[in-house]
Amino acid sequence: MNTQDAKKRLHRGRLSPGPIARYKAVLQEDSFAGLVLVLFAISALVWANSPARDSYVALAEYHFGPKSLGLNLSVTEWASDFLLALFFFLVGLELKQEFTIGSLRDPRKAAVPILAAFTGMAGPILVYCGVQIITGSGVYDGWAIPVATDIAFALGILAIAGKGMPSAAGIFLMTLAIADDLGGIIVIAIFFSDGVNFLWLLGGFAIAAVFGLLCFKRWNRWYLLWPLALVTWYCFFRAGVHATISAVLLGFCVPTTVRADEEPMTVRFAHKFEFFSAGVVLPIFAFFAAGVNIVDAGGIVPLLVDPVAIGIYLGLPLGKFLGICGGTILFIKLFKLKLGDGMRMGDLVPISVLSGIGFTVSLLIATLSFPAGSVHEAHSRVGVLLGTLLSVIFGYILAHLRVRTLRKRGLIATQEEEDALDAKLKEEEQTYHKRKREEEERAHQQRKRTQK
């Protein structure tokens, strides 16, 4: 492309974006971000069970890092302990924002989804433990694996299949998933921290406090905050607490208070890092967490009948359904609490099943629940993938059926009315962009005449 052509395309407002820019744009859709995770997980499964599976194992178990600092870790450990910290930092930012200026600020409005989140964690635990009791396996170490909900993934499926459901349903799912994230973090911090070194832990809290102070003072230069964040992570790592908890703490340290002509710092940080989290970190983590060698473990049948896997892939969709629906009905009947405006009990069914989309945090807990190389560890990870798949399929079907029921009852707009509205909005958007380009072209021509 010559310089003159580039200028013409620039003035028309449309230089073709590169592949990274296009990837960044489509990642704004939660459904696409979930699809990326699934593709990376599937590719890892295929490679780990192909004739070249030894090379996958060699890559996943390759160690590097300074031994003197205790950081000679495998690639898989770097992905789950270090890279995943960025994802948990964004979780911390989201929790801080929701508790201070968001949906969790008003306890009365957030009471039902928060309580439902905790019964939604109890349901999968009961299903998992029930399977172990019935089968007599006695393997209870995986009880925590099916408790988590992947916010973006679940909201993405609801946005596709539940288009037309009341907005309160999406808010309920988001609030529930955020509270669920907090519960998952507490589980990791309490049950997967062995032999805590309190001196290292105290040092981590002290440095996190300095990080928070610099953020409060708006001294948020990267060369000040990044070193503090890394040292905080290292202190938690040496303390014996799972290092990603340090990232949640740092997220909580970022202030949501605003000054004149600025948006909350939590929002700015989230915008800055969400692409790297959703587009880079989570796919890498999924790639190394999902690569289970099923072939050498005896095939798919032993996996499907393993009580550990059964407890997980039933615990995610079924346990979440029983816990969330049962808990919500209990709270409404006994404590006279109410759902959000426009939301009905029938909306809970697809929402509760979609909450079984565990993926990221569930995969992490699976790697923490059993020792590496254990048959149960491998089966638990496949159980997470299968449970998430079942939650997606049944949640999608139930959301679609719920929308059809609401339309038949005349409670929401028909598909034709929604299509007409979408067409009108698209036409208005095109008109706006056309007018904007014309104004830019006139301004450009005016500048040229002024220069002459």
Side-chain angles (χ1 to χ4, degrees):
M1 182 192 302
N2 59 40
T3 306
Q4 194 63 30
D5 289 338
K7 286 183 178 179
K8 287 179 180 179
R9 293 183 66 183
L10 180 62
H11 291 313
R12 286 199 298 267
R14 286 288 184 273
L15 263 177
S16 292
I20 294 178
R22 289 196 295 270
Y23 180 49
K24 188 174 183 179
V26 294
L27 273 177
Q28 300 299 318
E29 296 289 336
D30 290 334
S31 55
F32 183 82
L35 178 62
V36 171
L37 293 186
V38 171
L39 290 176
F40 270 78
I42 291 173
S43 63
L45 270 175
V46 171
W47 188 1
N49 292 278
S50 71
R53 53 185 174 273
D54 289 343
S55 60
Y56 175 86
V57 174
L59 174 62
E61 296 182 357
Y62 178 76
H63 281 66
F64 67 96
K67 290 184 179 179
S68 59
L69 297 177
L71 291 176
N72 188 246
L73 308 175
S74 69
V75 172
T76 300
E77 289 171 326
W78 278 112
S80 62
D81 288 10
F82 182 71
L83 289 182
L84 201 60
L86 180 60
F87 165 75
F88 276 92
F89 176 67
L90 294 183
V91 170
L93 291 177
E94 188 167 24
L95 287 170
K96 177 65 176 289
Q97 183 158 318
E98 294 301 324
F99 274 112
T100 55
I101 60 176
S103 60
L104 301 179
R105 181 182 58 175
D106 187 344
R108 292 173 298 178
K109 292 183 179 179
V112 175
I114 289 177
L115 292 171
F118 287 99
T119 56
M121 294 175 69
I125 294 172
L126 291 175
V127 169
Y128 178 88
C129 293
V131 170
Q132 309 317 308
I133 292 170
I134 292 170
T135 59
S137 74
V139 184
Y140 296 101
D141 293 347
W143 64 269
I145 297 172
V147 303
T149 298
D150 193 300
I151 299 177
F153 209 160
L155 287 173
I157 300 300
L158 182 65
I160 295 171
K163 187 178 180 182
M165 287 179 65
S167 58
I171 295 171
F172 185 97
L173 177 57
M174 183 183 71
T175 307
L176 181 149
I178 290 169
D180 188 281
D181 266 352
L182 180 60
I185 290 165
I186 293 171
V187 166
I188 293 171
I190 294 175
F191 296 100
F192 296 101
S193 299
D194 298 322
V196 176
N197 185 314
F198 287 99
L199 285 178
W200 278 108
L201 188 62
L202 183 63
F205 274 105
I207 296 168
V210 176
F211 179 95
L213 178 63
L214 293 183
C215 290
F216 179 77
K217 295 288 187 181
R218 301 313 192 257
W219 298 344
N220 54 344
R221 300 292 185 183
W222 69 268
Y223 50 79
L224 295 176
L225 298 185
W226 272 100
L228 291 174
L230 291 173
V231 174
T232 303
W233 176 89
Y234 182 69
C235 286
F236 273 71
F237 178 82
R238 293 301 301 267
V241 177
H242 197 271
T244 53
I245 302 299
S246 67
V248 179
L249 175 63
L250 292 173
F252 263 102
C253 289
V254 178
T256 54
T257 53
V258 294
R259 298 175 182 176
D261 300 323
E262 72 170 10
E263 61 182 348
M265 192 175 292
T266 49
V267 175
R268 281 190 282 139
F269 280 7
H271 288 165
K272 187 172 292 186
F273 297 118
E274 61 185 359
F275 165 69
F276 298 100
S277 174
V280 180
V281 168
L282 290 182
I284 291 174
F285 169 75
F287 183 79
F288 288 105
V292 181
N293 186 339
I294 300 172
V295 173
D296 295 334
I300 191 68
V301 174
L303 185 152
L304 293 176
V305 299
D306 180 0
V308 170
I310 294 173
I312 294 168
Y313 68 69
L314 289 183
L316 283 167
L318 179 61
K320 286 290 185 182
F321 168 73
L322 295 174
I324 292 170
C325 285
T328 303
I329 292 171
L330 180 68
F331 302 135
I332 290 175
K333 297 294 183 184
L334 288 184
F335 304 116
K336 306 302 180 184
L337 298 176
K338 295 182 179 180
L339 295 171
D341 293 339
M343 188 174 172
R344 298 168 179 83
M345 291 298 294
D347 299 326
L348 279 175
V349 176
I351 286 174
S352 61
V353 176
L354 286 174
S355 298
I357 300 175
F359 213 85
T360 307
V361 179
S362 289
L363 281 173
L364 174 62
I365 297 176
T367 62
L368 300 174
S369 298
F370 299 102
S374 162
V375 171
H376 294 314
E377 192 265 349
H379 288 184
S380 68
R381 284 189 281 156
V382 177
V384 170
L385 299 179
L386 184 55
T388 293
L389 178 61
L390 292 174
S391 298
V392 169
I393 293 172
F394 288 112
Y396 184 95
I397 293 171
L398 291 168
H400 185 70
L401 291 175
R402 180 59 181 166
V403 170
R404 287 182 60 183
T405 301
L406 291 173
R407 282 181 177 146
K408 284 181 180 180
R409 294 178 181 176
L411 298 174
I412 61 174
T414 64
Q415 185 65 55
E416 291 76 14
E417 290 170 336
E418 285 191 2
D419 290 342
L421 180 60
D422 287 342
K424 183 179 179 181
L425 291 173
K426 187 175 181 180
E427 182 181 352
E428 290 177 354
E429 184 180 7
Q430 290 174 343
T431 302
Y432 167 77
H433 286 300
K434 181 181 178 182
R435 187 166 61 249
K436 188 175 181 181
R437 287 195 298 270
E438 290 173 350
E439 289 173 356
E440 290 174 350
E441 184 63 29
R442 284 197 297 270
H444 173 65
Q445 294 298 333
Q446 181 63 36
R447 285 195 297 270
K448 288 177 64 176
R449 287 193 293 269
T450 302
Q451 291 172 358
K452 288 180 180 179

